[in-house]
């Protein structure tokens, strides 16, 4: 393993395709919009899309992300999940044949006043209760009537987003699904409801299209389960070398602020990863890492470039050994709980300094 003194994220493309197959078998009647926003959750947008050419479409948050995919020759439909914000963006979307979400009257007016020889496919977003983006259910009929009259539109679809799909028995989810289905009742259009949690936990959310993100990367969206329990395989394994091992006598403190003290003599390993790489600074003492198949706790504060690991008194681990921070053998979901965050944030927050290697 070539780590060159710093962290490397190994990306397993076979696992990506395996996870897409899990989506397919979970929602066999749905088409799959693979969500690859935020650099494919830190996994590399172009490489991920190339590994997932079996998806029916890709979903992104920003125009820049869609441009990167088209520049790389990705020919699938690409959906701008938050739509566009200027006529010039509509021009680019038309030129690159991007689908746009329309979630507000401001966007609708912009589209209606846009003149172009080209036409766009539009996903009309309905706010079924999350109160983030979308037409409220009671304004939807007006929005829909206007969209139907837009000559700029090629194909119209409808979608909504669930706020609590990751709580397996939350009552807001069936309420949202009912609101949405009620709003679009009788319309002959394709529908999309579920993200990863939605499509796994809520069969009613497996509509014409599903929109998985996190599960494709092999992480569980549920606080009470890890990916393996859902037959998902982690795609990213973040590894860094130990760059030093030292003996620390009982009673001495480790790291900035001395927030951890050795209660007995022990070996402390220093690994080359820190918040400058996106490793969460709030990871507490006790956050697990994996060395030679063994789980060890980090101790003391996370620094910009380093973490300290309690290897134990009679450790034989040597400088240079690879340390797995999350991925194979150590679910990112587990690490996230020690840093009071979610696996989404761990993988998205990785900095430019972390090299991505594909296998
Ligand atoms: C990010 C996003 C998704 C994917 O969500 P996951 O929880 O990662 O599966 C789906 N739909 C929309 C609108 C999103 O913004």
């Amino acid at each position: 393993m070539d780590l060159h003194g710093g962290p490397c994220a190994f990306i397993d493309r076979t696992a990506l395709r395996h996870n897409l197959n899990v989506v397919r078998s979970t929602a066999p009647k749905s088409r799959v919009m693979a969500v690859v926003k935020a650099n494919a959750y830190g996994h590399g947008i172009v490489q991920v899309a190339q590994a997932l050419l079996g998806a029916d479409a890709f979903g992104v948050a920003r125009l820049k992300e869609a441009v990167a995919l088209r520049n790389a020759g990705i020919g699938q439909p690409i959906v701008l999940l938050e739509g566009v914000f200027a006529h010039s963006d509509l021009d680019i979307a038309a030129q690159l044949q991007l689908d746009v979400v329309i979630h507000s009257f401001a966007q609708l007016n912009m589209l209606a006043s846009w003149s172009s020889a080209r036409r766009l496919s539009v996903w009309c977003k309905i706010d079924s209760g999350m109160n983030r983006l979308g037409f409220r259910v009671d304004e939807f009929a007006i929005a829909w009537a206007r969209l139907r009259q837009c000559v700029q539109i090629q194909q119209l679809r409808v979608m909504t987003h669930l706020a609590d799909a990751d709580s397996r028995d939350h009552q807001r989810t069936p309420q949202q699904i009912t609101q949405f289905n009620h709003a679009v009742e009788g319309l002959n259009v394709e529908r999309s409801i579920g993200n990863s949690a939605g499509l796994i936990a809520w069969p009613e959310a497996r509509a014409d299209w599903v929109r998985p993100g996190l599960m494709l990367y092999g992480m569980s969206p549920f606080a009470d389960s890890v990916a393996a329990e859902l037959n998902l395989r982690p795609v990213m394994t973040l590894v860094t070398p130990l760059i030093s091992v030292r003996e620390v006598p009982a009673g001495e403190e480790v790291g900035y602020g001395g927030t951890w003290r050795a209660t007995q003599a022990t070996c402390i390993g220093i690994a080359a990863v820190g918040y400058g790489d996106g490793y969460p600074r709030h990871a507490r003492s006790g956050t697990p890492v994996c060395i030679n198949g063994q789980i060890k706790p980090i101790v003391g504060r996370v620094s910009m470039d380093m973490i300290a690991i309690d290897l134990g008194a009679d450790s034989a681990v040597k400088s240079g050994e690879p340390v797995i921070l999350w991925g194979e053998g150590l679910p990112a979901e587990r690490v996230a709980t020690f840093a009071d965050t979610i696996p989404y944030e761990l993988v998205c927050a990785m900095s430019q300094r972390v090299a991505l290697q594909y296998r």
Side-chain angles (χ1 to χ4, degrees):
M1 202 178 294
D2 245 351
L3 290 172
H4 302 293
C8 182
F10 293 92
I11 308 295
D12 181 348
R13 286 181 280 212
T14 312
L16 264 174
R17 283 186 284 263
H18 165 85
N19 297 334
L20 177 60
N21 286 337
V22 173
V23 174
R24 292 263 186 227
S25 54
T26 310
K29 294 186 185 139
S30 306
R31 271 177 282 172
V32 178
M33 183 197 303
V35 177
V36 294
K37 62 195 179 190
N39 199 29
Y41 294 43
H43 292 64
I45 188 167
V46 167
Q47 290 86 347
V48 165
Q50 282 166 345
L52 292 179
L53 289 178
D56 302 293
F58 292 109
V60 298
R62 307 277 154 80
L63 189 56
K64 258 174 117 170
E65 298 169 332
V67 171
L69 290 177
R70 284 288 183 255
N71 282 346
I74 302 294
Q76 260 93 342
I78 299 174
V79 184
L80 291 169
L81 291 169
E82 286 149 38
V84 292
F85 301 90
H87 277 156
S88 55
D89 292 346
L90 282 171
D91 294 333
I92 298 170
Q95 197 184 349
L96 298 181
Q97 293 198 294
L98 310 176
D99 292 13
V100 297
V101 164
I102 296 229
H103 58 71
S104 68
F105 284 106
Q107 285 185 329
L108 204 168
N109 293 337
M110 199 172 68
L111 179 71
S113 62
W114 174 64
S115 52
S116 162
R118 293 196 172 95
R119 295 193 302 158
L120 288 172
S121 287
V122 166
W123 298 67
C124 176
K125 184 158 189 176
I126 298 175
D127 176 8
S128 56
M130 184 170 182
N131 277 313
R132 193 175 62 176
L133 291 183
F135 295 100
R136 294 180 62 87
V137 168
D138 55 11
E139 358 172 271
F140 171 68
I142 300 169
W144 188 252
R146 289 198 51 202
L147 286 167
R148 290 286 304 269
Q149 287 171 356
C150 281
V151 294
Q152 296 88 343
I153 296 179
Q154 194 165 19
Q155 183 171 3
L156 257 176
R157 299 182 178 91
V158 289
M159 64 180 284
T160 193
H161 194 57
L162 301 172
D164 300 293
D166 57 333
S167 309
R168 290 175 190 272
D169 49 7
H170 205 293
Q171 62 172 22
R172 189 148 75 141
T173 300
Q175 280 168 4
Q176 279 197 266
I177 295 172
T178 304
Q179 286 275 311
F180 175 73
N181 285 338
H182 182 67
V184 301
E185 203 177 320
L187 299 181
N188 182 24
V189 287
E190 291 173 12
R191 299 154 196 217
S192 177
I193 304 175
N195 60 352
S196 300
L199 81 94
I200 295 169
W202 303 90
E204 312 89 321
R206 299 169 199 152
D208 300 301
W209 289 83
V210 290
R211 305 188 309 273
L214 193 72
M215 70 183 289
L216 290 173
Y217 307 102
M219 290 169 278
S220 165
F222 306 105
D224 62 359
S225 70
V226 292
E229 293 158 5
L230 305 169
N231 185 29
L232 298 168
R233 282 164 46 187
V235 173
M236 177 193 295
T237 298
L238 184 63
V239 187
T240 201
L242 269 187
I243 56 171
S244 171
V245 177
R246 66 211 307 103
E247 285 173 28
V248 171
E252 291 197 7
E253 294 165 352
V254 171
Y256 284 123
T259 61
W260 185 86
R261 183 191 301 262
T263 53
Q264 55 193 43
T266 190
C267 292
I268 295 292
I270 304 299
V273 72
Y275 60 82
D277 303 290
Y279 191 86
R281 200 184 83 93
H282 288 105
R284 345 180 237 286
S285 288
T287 303
V289 300
C290 184
I291 306 176
N292 290 335
Q294 288 199 307
I295 298 293
K296 300 287 180 190
I298 74 166
V299 294
R301 279 201 192 134
V302 171
S303 319
M304 188 183 290
D305 315 301
M306 289 172 269
I307 55 174
I309 300 160
D310 185 3
L311 299 171
D314 37 48
S315 168
V317 173
K318 299 213 167 50
S319 184
E321 287 287 343
V323 179
I324 295 177
L325 304 161
W326 60 70
E328 245 164 81
L330 177 55
E333 298 92 304
R334 235 184 105 194
V335 176
T337 60
F338 283 87
D340 295 322
T341 187
I342 51 176
Y344 294 82
E345 192 186 21
L346 286 187
V347 288
C348 283
M350 278 189 351
S351 78
Q352 295 263 330
R353 197 163 76 172
V354 178
L356 295 171
Q357 261 193 54
Y358 295 84
R359 52 181 180 191

